[in-house]
PDB file of all heavy atoms in Angstrom:
ATOM      1  N   LEU A  47      16.365   5.750  15.182  1.00 94.00           N
ATOM      2  CA  LEU A  47      15.507   5.379  14.050  1.00 94.00           C
ATOM      3  C   LEU A  47      15.178   6.592  13.187  1.00 94.00           C
ATOM      4  O   LEU A  47      15.116   6.497  11.952  1.00 94.00           O
ATOM      5  CB  LEU A  47      14.222   4.731  14.563  1.00 94.00           C
ATOM      6  CG  LEU A  47      14.346   3.371  15.242  1.00 94.00           C
ATOM      7  CD1 LEU A  47      12.972   2.867  15.662  1.00 94.00           C
ATOM      8  CD2 LEU A  47      15.020   2.359  14.331  1.00 94.00           C
ATOM      9  N   GLY A  48      14.978   7.738  13.833  1.00 94.00           N
ATOM     10  CA  GLY A  48      14.711   8.953  13.063  1.00 94.00           C
ATOM     11  C   GLY A  48      15.888   9.366  12.192  1.00 94.00           C
ATOM     12  O   GLY A  48      15.704   9.825  11.058  1.00 94.00           O
ATOM     13  N   ILE A  49      17.099   9.188  12.712  1.00 94.00           N
ATOM     14  CA  ILE A  49      18.285   9.530  11.921  1.00 94.00           C
ATOM     15  C   ILE A  49      18.424   8.591  10.725  1.00 94.00           C
ATOM     16  O   ILE A  49      18.743   9.023   9.605  1.00 94.00           O
ATOM     17  CB  ILE A  49      19.535   9.482  12.816  1.00 94.00           C
ATOM     18  CG1 ILE A  49      19.477  10.622  13.838  1.00 94.00           C
ATOM     19  CG2 ILE A  49      20.806   9.573  11.986  1.00 94.00           C
ATOM     20  CD1 ILE A  49      20.586  10.599  14.850  1.00 94.00           C
ATOM     21  N   LEU A  50      18.164   7.298  10.936  1.00 94.00           N
ATOM     22  CA  LEU A  50      18.212   6.363   9.810  1.00 94.00           C
ATOM     23  C   LEU A  50      17.153   6.700   8.769  1.00 94.00           C
ATOM     24  O   LEU A  50      17.396   6.636   7.561  1.00 94.00           O
ATOM     25  CB  LEU A  50      18.031   4.938  10.324  1.00 94.00           C
ATOM     26  CG  LEU A  50      19.213   4.325  11.085  1.00 94.00           C
ATOM     27  CD1 LEU A  50      18.822   2.972  11.667  1.00 94.00           C
ATOM     28  CD2 LEU A  50      20.419   4.170  10.167  1.00 94.00           C
ATOM     29  N   GLY A  51      15.957   7.046   9.232  1.00 93.00           N
ATOM     30  CA  GLY A  51      14.887   7.381   8.299  1.00 93.00           C
ATOM     31  C   GLY A  51      15.106   8.687   7.565  1.00 93.00           C
ATOM     32  O   GLY A  51      14.493   8.921   6.506  1.00 93.00           O
ATOM     33  N   SER A  52      15.982   9.551   8.093  1.00 94.00           N
ATOM     34  CA  SER A  52      16.232  10.837   7.424  1.00 94.00           C
ATOM     35  C   SER A  52      17.191  10.713   6.248  1.00 94.00           C
ATOM     36  O   SER A  52      17.356  11.671   5.491  1.00 94.00           O
ATOM     37  CB  SER A  52      16.800  11.837   8.441  1.00 94.00           C
ATOM     38  OG  SER A  52      18.059  11.398   8.932  1.00 94.00           O
ATOM     39  N   ILE A  53      17.829   9.553   6.087  1.00 94.00           N
ATOM     40  CA  ILE A  53      18.769   9.387   4.965  1.00 94.00           C
ATOM     41  C   ILE A  53      18.046   9.502   3.616  1.00 94.00           C
ATOM     42  O   ILE A  53      18.468  10.280   2.742  1.00 94.00           O
ATOM     43  CB  ILE A  53      19.528   8.060   5.101  1.00 94.00           C
ATOM     44  CG1 ILE A  53      20.408   8.077   6.364  1.00 94.00           C
ATOM     45  CG2 ILE A  53      20.383   7.789   3.869  1.00 94.00           C
ATOM     46  CD1 ILE A  53      21.115   6.768   6.640  1.00 94.00           C
ATOM     47  N   PRO A  54      16.952   8.751   3.363  1.00 95.00           N
ATOM     48  CA  PRO A  54      16.227   8.965   2.096  1.00 95.00           C
ATOM     49  C   PRO A  54      15.658  10.366   1.968  1.00 95.00           C
ATOM     50  O   PRO A  54      15.584  10.908   0.856  1.00 95.00           O
ATOM     51  CB  PRO A  54      15.123   7.899   2.143  1.00 95.00           C
ATOM     52  CG  PRO A  54      15.613   6.866   3.094  1.00 95.00           C
ATOM     53  CD  PRO A  54      16.389   7.615   4.115  1.00 95.00           C
ATOM     54  N   ALA A  55      15.248  10.965   3.097  1.00 94.00           N
ATOM     55  CA  ALA A  55      14.717  12.330   3.025  1.00 94.00           C
ATOM     56  C   ALA A  55      15.792  13.314   2.595  1.00 94.00           C
ATOM     57  O   ALA A  55      15.537  14.236   1.805  1.00 94.00           O
ATOM     58  CB  ALA A  55      14.135  12.725   4.381  1.00 94.00           C
ATOM     59  N   ALA A  56      17.015  13.134   3.100  1.00 94.00           N
ATOM     60  CA  ALA A  56      18.113  14.008   2.684  1.00 94.00           C
ATOM     61  C   ALA A  56      18.431  13.823   1.194  1.00 94.00           C
ATOM     62  O   ALA A  56      18.702  14.796   0.473  1.00 94.00           O
ATOM     63  CB  ALA A  56      19.353  13.724   3.535  1.00 94.00           C
ATOM     64  N   TRP A  57      18.396  12.585   0.736  1.00 95.00           N
ATOM     65  CA  TRP A  57      18.613  12.330  -0.690  1.00 95.00           C
ATOM     66  C   TRP A  57      17.505  12.959  -1.533  1.00 95.00           C
ATOM     67  O   TRP A  57      17.762  13.447  -2.643  1.00 95.00           O
ATOM     68  CB  TRP A  57      18.694  10.834  -0.931  1.00 95.00           C
ATOM     69  CG  TRP A  57      18.961  10.480  -2.361  1.00 95.00           C
ATOM     70  CD1 TRP A  57      18.057  10.041  -3.288  1.00 95.00           C
ATOM     71  CD2 TRP A  57      20.224  10.551  -3.038  1.00 95.00           C
ATOM     72  NE1 TRP A  57      18.664   9.828  -4.494  1.00 95.00           N
ATOM     73  CE2 TRP A  57      20.001  10.137  -4.373  1.00 95.00           C
ATOM     74  CE3 TRP A  57      21.500  10.923  -2.656  1.00 95.00           C
ATOM     75  CZ2 TRP A  57      21.020  10.088  -5.301  1.00 95.00           C
ATOM     76  CZ3 TRP A  57      22.522  10.871  -3.590  1.00 95.00           C
ATOM     77  CH2 TRP A  57      22.266  10.457  -4.886  1.00 95.00           C
ATOM     78  N   LEU A  58      16.285  12.957  -1.027  1.00 94.00           N
ATOM     79  CA  LEU A  58      15.177  13.597  -1.733  1.00 94.00           C
ATOM     80  C   LEU A  58      15.420  15.096  -1.868  1.00 94.00           C
ATOM     81  O   LEU A  58      15.189  15.676  -2.943  1.00 94.00           O
ATOM     82  CB  LEU A  58      13.873  13.337  -0.982  1.00 94.00           C
ATOM     83  CG  LEU A  58      12.647  14.134  -1.437  1.00 94.00           C
ATOM     84  CD1 LEU A  58      12.284  13.788  -2.877  1.00 94.00           C
ATOM     85  CD2 LEU A  58      11.469  13.883  -0.512  1.00 94.00           C
ATOM     86  N   ILE A  59      15.874  15.735  -0.802  1.00 94.00           N
ATOM     87  CA  ILE A  59      16.132  17.176  -0.869  1.00 94.00           C
ATOM     88  C   ILE A  59      17.216  17.475  -1.907  1.00 94.00           C
ATOM     89  O   ILE A  59      17.100  18.418  -2.705  1.00 94.00           O
ATOM     90  CB  ILE A  59      16.535  17.695   0.527  1.00 94.00           C
ATOM     91  CG1 ILE A  59      15.354  17.566   1.494  1.00 94.00           C
ATOM     92  CG2 ILE A  59      16.998  19.142   0.457  1.00 94.00           C
ATOM     93  CD1 ILE A  59      15.694  17.916   2.924  1.00 94.00           C
ATOM     94  N   LEU A  60      18.273  16.678  -1.915  1.00 94.00           N
ATOM     95  CA  LEU A  60      19.332  16.875  -2.908  1.00 94.00           C
ATOM     96  C   LEU A  60      18.813  16.664  -4.325  1.00 94.00           C
ATOM     97  O   LEU A  60      19.132  17.432  -5.245  1.00 94.00           O
ATOM     98  CB  LEU A  60      20.487  15.919  -2.610  1.00 94.00           C
ATOM     99  CG  LEU A  60      21.683  15.965  -3.575  1.00 94.00           C
ATOM    100  CD1 LEU A  60      22.329  17.349  -3.553  1.00 94.00           C
ATOM    101  CD2 LEU A  60      22.696  14.886  -3.223  1.00 94.00           C
ATOM    102  N   THR A  61      17.979  15.643  -4.517  1.00 92.00           N
ATOM    103  CA  THR A  61      17.415  15.373  -5.841  1.00 92.00           C
ATOM    104  C   THR A  61      16.538  16.522  -6.314  1.00 92.00           C
ATOM    105  O   THR A  61      16.626  16.959  -7.479  1.00 92.00           O
ATOM    106  CB  THR A  61      16.598  14.068  -5.797  1.00 92.00           C
ATOM    107  OG1 THR A  61      17.455  12.989  -5.402  1.00 92.00           O
ATOM    108  CG2 THR A  61      15.990  13.766  -7.154  1.00 92.00           C
ATOM    109  N   LEU A  62      15.685  17.023  -5.452  1.00 91.00           N
ATOM    110  CA  LEU A  62      14.810  18.139  -5.829  1.00 91.00           C
ATOM    111  C   LEU A  62      15.626  19.391  -6.140  1.00 91.00           C
ATOM    112  O   LEU A  62      15.277  20.158  -7.051  1.00 91.00           O
ATOM    113  CB  LEU A  62      13.816  18.415  -4.699  1.00 91.00           C
ATOM    114  CG  LEU A  62      12.768  17.332  -4.437  1.00 91.00           C
ATOM    115  CD1 LEU A  62      11.879  17.726  -3.270  1.00 91.00           C
ATOM    116  CD2 LEU A  62      11.922  17.083  -5.673  1.00 91.00           C
TER     117      LEU A  62
END
Side-chain angles (χ1 to χ4, degrees):
L47 293 181
I49 292 175
L50 287 174
S52 63
I53 296 176
W57 182 258
L58 170 63
I59 294 174
L60 179 62
T61 300
L62 292 178

